[in-house]
Amino acid sequence: MTDRAHRDIRPVTWPRLTDAVADRLAATAPHDGSPWLRAAIDGAPAARPGRWADDLAEALRLRGRPVRRVSAGGFLRPASLRLEHGHHDPDAYYDLWLDTGALWREVFGPLGPDGTGRILPDLWDPVVDRATRSPYVTLPPGGVLLLDGPLLLGRGFPLDLTVHLRLTPAALARRTPEDERWTLPAFARYEDEVRPEETADVVVRADDPRHPAWTG
């Protein structure tokens, strides 16, 4: 097994990175025999995983692969549960904010080996704190799920490819808005407990958004 803690990091451009990961996804077979491929773009909000996931989705569509985008922000728990321990509790942000049960029920279950492909793209709007009431959509066999958001690894999701957009602690602190810096201890805990730089299939170092580097 490759020692992921000591993989080479090479400079890359965002377009080249997007094409390379799209090619890898297009050539990947689901590990459990599912008709659908499931990938995650993991990264703190400051790394903008959703923006790059959108670019990756477009690259996959150009390769003839149906894609469904799902953001973790659409599967947060209601405020009464998220904020039970206060508005600025980093442990609650780490442990309680993401509704993992809903993601399993509405996304990963339907995309399993015996699933229907009928998924819910989002469930809860955290801004207005109510259900989105979005309609179910069907991802055809051969399609790709792209899930983006923070703190996604280490949760047991059946993912066929994982990409981690890494920021050093200094870059994360610098690029996180002042009113969100209370979340920084959660990301420090994530680094310590999950070690995403070792766990992810692909690691992209994005301290300087103009000059990314990756593990290839």
Side-chain angles (χ1 to χ4, degrees):
M1 179 179 293
T2 301
D3 184 352
R4 293 182 175 178
H6 300 285
R7 295 180 292 185
D8 291 335
I9 298 292
R10 301 189 295 251
V12 71
T13 64
W14 286 110
R16 181 183 169 202
L17 173 68
T18 302
D19 283 340
V21 174
D23 287 342
R24 179 168 174 176
L25 274 169
T28 297
H31 72 276
D32 58 3
S34 168
W36 302 277
L37 199 65
R38 297 138 303 185
I41 312 303
D42 172 69
R48 299 183 176 180
R51 174 178 291 187
W52 186 63
D54 287 339
D55 292 342
L56 182 58
E58 183 59 27
L60 284 165
R61 292 187 183 105
L62 291 174
R63 288 160 173 75
R65 298 296 294 268
V67 180
R68 176 55 59 180
R69 289 276 292 104
V70 172
S71 291
F75 283 88
L76 299 184
R77 289 188 169 94
S80 60
L81 298 176
R82 296 198 317 273
L83 308 179
E84 182 179 0
H85 301 284
H87 284 70
H88 301 125
D89 187 304
D91 287 325
Y93 179 74
Y94 188 99
D95 293 319
L96 301 177
W97 278 43
L98 184 64
D99 193 340
T100 56
L103 273 171
W104 275 101
R105 182 178 67 251
E106 304 292 358
V107 179
F108 288 111
L111 298 181
D114 300 317
T116 63
R118 186 172 179 265
I119 68 172
L120 193 64
D122 51 61
L123 177 64
W124 198 261
D125 185 335
V127 176
V128 297
D129 199 34
R130 65 177 179 229
T132 59
R133 303 188 184 278
S134 295
Y136 283 87
V137 296
T138 298
L139 184 63
V144 182
L145 166 74
L146 288 183
L147 172 68
D148 75 87
L151 311 174
L152 294 178
L153 306 184
R155 297 182 183 272
F157 293 142
L159 296 165
D160 302 297
L161 186 72
T162 55
V163 180
H164 175 61
L165 303 184
R166 173 169 171 72
L167 298 175
T168 61
L172 178 61
R174 184 173 65 250
R175 292 172 56 183
T176 298
E178 184 68 32
D179 62 350
E180 296 177 12
R181 288 187 180 176
W182 62 271
T183 64
L184 295 179
F187 291 104
R189 179 181 165 192
Y190 187 56
E191 290 289 330
D192 183 57
E193 295 183 4
V194 177
R195 299 185 181 276
E197 192 167 8
E198 301 172 26
T199 304
D201 297 306
V202 176
V203 176
V204 180
R205 292 190 178 175
D207 288 355
D208 183 343
R210 300 165 299 175
H211 303 291
W214 74 317
T215 54

